[in-house]
Amino acid sequence: MLQHQIFFALVLLMCFCCFAGESFNFGQFNSLTMPNRRKFIQSSVLGTTALLLNRITKAGGQYNAVKNNPLAISTWDAGLEANREAWKVLSAGGRALDAVEKGVMHTEASKNCCVGLKANPDRDGFVTLDACIMDENFNCGSVAFLERIKHPISVARRVMEKTPHVMLVGEGAQQFAIAEGFPLEAQQLSPDAEKNYREWLKKSEYHPPEINVESQKGHGPFAPARLNGDWNHDTIGMLAMDAQGNLSGSCTTSGAGFKMRGRVGDSPIIGSGLYVDNEVGACTATGQGEDVIRVAGAHSVVEWMRQGLSPEAACKKVIEKIVRIKKEKAREIQVAFIAVNKNGQVGAFSIHGGFDYAIRTKTAEKLVKAKSIFKEKPKND
Ligand code: GLY
């Protein structure tokens, strides 16, 4: 069937190329002598065939599963420790899906500005969590605006495995988590988050509802792009390839510190914060979620890899698109992608310098600085 389609497409394309090609000019064709016309048609046919075959092989045939060479990559320096947890699964011959869940669970449980229950709250003082997970068979699960549950990534996995749905949010996600046996944690900020929140309240002059709901005017202020000089989004996204050559990914965050209540970023959105296509590769994102969503970031990167781009070049393409869209405002936001292809090549790209990602393989455990459009911005801006 595929062969027939390819043959038909070839014939169509040959005709198209001969009579209506972009670089073709009828005047030029008429001025050719008969042998030259034949030569011209022959070279058009050969060129078109080569082009089409190239496209066909790039569209699916160029990737071969790499066996017995597992790897894990994840965003930021917290990724080093997370990869270590993932590696326990991968080095024992376990599944990439288990590795990416276990890996980011470590970050969710640790002291962290931007992941898990110890992270900074929204502007009303509540920590709300977003996470998603995706396996090698396009199965995916997601939770957003989830409160008081320690491991949103595991709830996302349960959504994937135990419901007919992909995404649960807010109260419903919490109800589901409790029904699945996840403990409801105390409604309480970590000491660091409490301190940061009190500081932020002073500077922002925002009055949260429990203090004085009537005094709110308009909707501002919004989440700052930077907190104490650092970017205000340190999501952990992890991608893994197991010994079978299968890919999976996970992504988890508390979102932007002091965000509007109810705000959800890219991290729980399949196709934005995370995407896995086991024929081609996988990608995950960190940074300003709104700008990842508007370009369907992770999915776009995977599609560029399908076209034959390396992971780094594919990430760069989508970062360039964000910068093009945002124009001058791109200087005020950070977005970064990391990606892996089916051949086991990895890469990353960010808008601003300073983004690094962690790699773990049989022979390497390292933090790598991603290339970027702009140089690293000084922290005291
Ligand atoms: N990338 C995380 C967020 O924007 O929430």
Side-chain angles (χ1 to χ4, degrees), residues 23 131 229:
S23 58

Side-chain angles (χ1 to χ4, degrees), residues 22 24 31 37 49 54 74 107 135 141 148 162 164 181 192 213 224 231-232 234 289 296 307 329 334 339 344-345:
E22 216 176 59
F24 187 70
S31 70
R37 280 188 205 185
T49 309
N54 187 33
S74 49
T107 320
D135 76 4
R148 298 175 61 186
K162 296 221 169 162
D192 281 353
V213 73
W231 295 107
N232 185 16
D234 278 5
Q307 297 300 316
K329 286 189 185 148
Q334 173 68 310
Q345 294 167 309

Side-chain angles (χ1 to χ4, degrees), residues 24-38:
F24 187 70
N25 161 331
F26 280 97
Q28 214 182 7
F29 183 77
N30 287 336
S31 70
L32 294 174
T33 60
M34 207 49 189
N36 283 347
R37 280 188 205 185
R38 206 170 295 132

Side-chain angles (χ1 to χ4, degrees), residues 130 233 235 253-256 263-267 285-290 292:
D130 304 332
H233 304 73
T235 308
T253 189
S254 57
R263 180 264 186 194
V264 170
D266 61 311
S267 301
T286 178
Q288 185 82 26
E290 286 75 3
V292 178

Side-chain angles (χ1 to χ4, degrees), residues 18 275 305:
C18 289
Y275 198 68
M305 290 195 286

